Amino acid sequence: GTPEHTVLLASEDTFRNMIDSSSSSSGMCPSWTEKKTCQQLLQNALDTLLIMDGLLLRGTPLSDPDQEFYDAVGGTPAVQSKHDHLKRCMQTQVEEGKLTPSERQKLLKQVSERIDHLNDELQAALSQSREKKAHVLKLQLEKAKTRQSAMEAHPARSPLEL
């Protein structure tokens, strides 16, 4: 089957083993970008499953192909578990600096934009005397700056080093 098929139909334990072993180049998704693509696939499946859950909760039976899909992937909890595990692995990969040059550049740009946005929001909150919102924004800003510093501290790696 296709990689998408493998991701969706693998048991949760098999999926975890595939992702966790991806720290070696023989793994399923060694790069952050590959993990991000896999996460998007899982998110799309989750969106579909949540619609199906809504139908089932209203007592509407699923079509035969939809029911087969639902049963094959293990339902919403199984796909959510895979999605959550993958997200944690991606966070760890960023924290450990296991990023290619293009991934590092992309993520540094994103966090820089986030810092700019938070600074703008913080200034607006302070000018409107919204202390509680300003406090929350300061915490988010600290977290973003810490993330930026951590990424800058790690040099980019060759895809073969992931």
Side-chain angles (χ1 to χ4, degrees):
T2 65
E4 293 85 2
H5 186 261
T6 301
V7 166
L8 290 173
L9 297 184
S11 70
E12 291 176 65
D13 288 338
T14 299
F15 177 79
R16 286 173 190 265
N17 288 337
M18 289 186 306
I19 295 301
D20 292 346
S21 71
S22 68
S23 56
S24 68
S25 59
S26 63
M28 185 174 177
C29 301
S31 76
W32 183 90
T33 301
E34 290 167 324
K35 286 180 178 72
K36 182 68 176 173
T37 301
C38 184
Q39 183 191 34
Q40 289 167 336
L41 168 73
L42 290 169
Q43 185 60 56
N44 291 341
L46 270 175
D47 294 344
T48 299
L49 289 165
L50 289 171
I51 291 169
M52 291 176 175
D53 284 343
L55 291 170
L56 292 169
L57 287 172
R58 288 191 303 274
T60 305
L62 300 176
S63 67
D64 288 343
D66 286 350
Q67 187 66 55
E68 284 180 40
F69 171 77
Y70 193 92
D71 293 342
V73 300
T76 305
V79 176
Q80 184 69 57
S81 175
K82 292 176 187 179
H83 183 274
D84 294 347
H85 179 72
L86 188 58
K87 185 175 179 179
R88 286 189 300 275
C89 288
M90 291 169 64
Q91 288 171 336
T92 299
Q93 189 164 356
V94 170
E95 290 165 3
E96 293 175 354
K98 294 180 178 178
L99 302 170
T100 65
S102 62
E103 291 169 344
R104 184 176 181 268
Q105 181 180 5
K106 177 182 179 176
L107 292 173
L108 279 170
K109 182 178 184 229
Q110 284 178 353
V111 76
S112 177
E113 290 170 355
R114 174 95 172 123
I115 288 170
D116 290 345
H117 177 73
L118 287 169
N119 274 323
D120 292 344
E121 281 193 48
L122 178 58
Q123 293 310 313
L126 290 172
S127 71
Q128 297 169 0
S129 300
R130 297 175 65 195
E131 298 302 321
K132 191 171 185 175
K133 179 160 179 104
H135 176 71
V136 170
L137 290 167
K138 283 179 186 176
L139 293 175
Q140 291 175 345
L141 189 57
E142 275 182 41
K143 185 176 177 182
K145 286 181 178 180
T146 300
R147 186 176 299 124
Q148 183 181 41
S149 295
M151 276 193 278
E152 289 173 342
H154 294 290
R157 297 185 184 191
S158 159
L160 299 176
E161 294 178 285
L162 300 176

